[in-house]
Amino acid sequence: MDSEPTRPAAPGPDGHIPGGVRLQKVLASAGVGSRRRSEQLIGEGRVTVDGRTAELGTRVDPLSSVVHVDGKRINLRADLVYLAMNKPRGVVTAMTDPQGRPCVGDFVSDRPERLFHVGRLDAETEGLLILTNDGDFAQRLAHPSHGVVKTYIAEVPGPIDPKVGRRLSDGIDLDDGPARVDGFRVIDSSGDRALVELSLHEGRKHIVRRMLDVVGHPVNRLVRVAVGPVRLGDQRPGTLRKLTGQELSELYREIGL
Ligand code: URA
């Protein structure tokens, strides 16, 4: 059995951590594959630890080593959780609400971790909200400098003038400065109700509602359908799911972790 000291010694000159845990064991616990499969991946030179190609026998510190398989970062920390929630309309983005309104915290009250929501959705906005107990990850993901693109679908009064997309992409003057979308498309604009999709990488308060107001299409319903590589898909309102390893490694890359 591998011993798992809480504080392994510092890496030696070859990058190995003498008191650490065998890499194949850590990879298997992280869900990469069986120990045998993990050994194969190491043997094929597809695994790096802190930037160096790992070898069979490499030991790591699961709390601090940075491990990539095929260039994708693997989460080794079993204590860190990353969840996608479909926030229902009418739920406040807060872990507790002093005014007693339904809040995100109500949906995770049975979980042992201390979770944070990454960024905010308006109470009336539905859709994808990421929750985690990884503070560094949450801060980076919410920070505008990382520019993670969020995608929304809005139901607005139609029809949509073909010039609307150009105006939104060129930039709209808001009270707190200009804002522009990275992408815009009309999903349906057949009658007096239209559906549009917008993607943008900033997260100022009510940004989508304010931009659509300015172009004459006040929002009736707003759903966030994606945050970077994470998509809402057909996840039901009020439910949570774990992010997949693939989604997580893409997010790690986008926020420079
Ligand atoms: N933009 C908005 O207007 N509301 C949200 O909840 C998110 C983005």
Side-chain angles (χ1 to χ4, degrees), residues 120-122 125 152 204-210 222:
R120 276 175 200 283
L121 292 176
D122 302 336
T125 302
Y152 299 85
R204 270 181 280 161
K205 203 167 179 190
H206 307 315
I207 188 93
V208 174
R209 293 174 191 274
R210 289 191 290 150
L222 186 60

Side-chain angles (χ1 to χ4, degrees), residues 5-12 14-27 30 32 47-54 57-69 72-80 82 134 136 252 257:
T6 47
R7 192 186 284 274
D14 57 356
H16 288 212
I17 295 180
V21 186
R22 281 186 190 281
L23 180 56
Q24 59 269 40
K25 179 178 182 190
V26 168
L27 290 176
V32 170
V47 184
T48 62
V49 176
D50 298 329
R52 296 165 190 256
T53 304
T58 295
R59 288 174 176 264
V60 297
D61 175 2
L63 294 183
S64 64
S65 300
V66 175
V67 174
H68 288 79
V69 176
K72 292 182 183 145
R73 180 158 175 190
I74 306 297
N75 172 30
L76 305 183
R77 296 268 309 264
D79 58 319
L80 295 181
Y82 304 89
D134 183 342
D136 186 28
Y252 279 143
L257 275 176

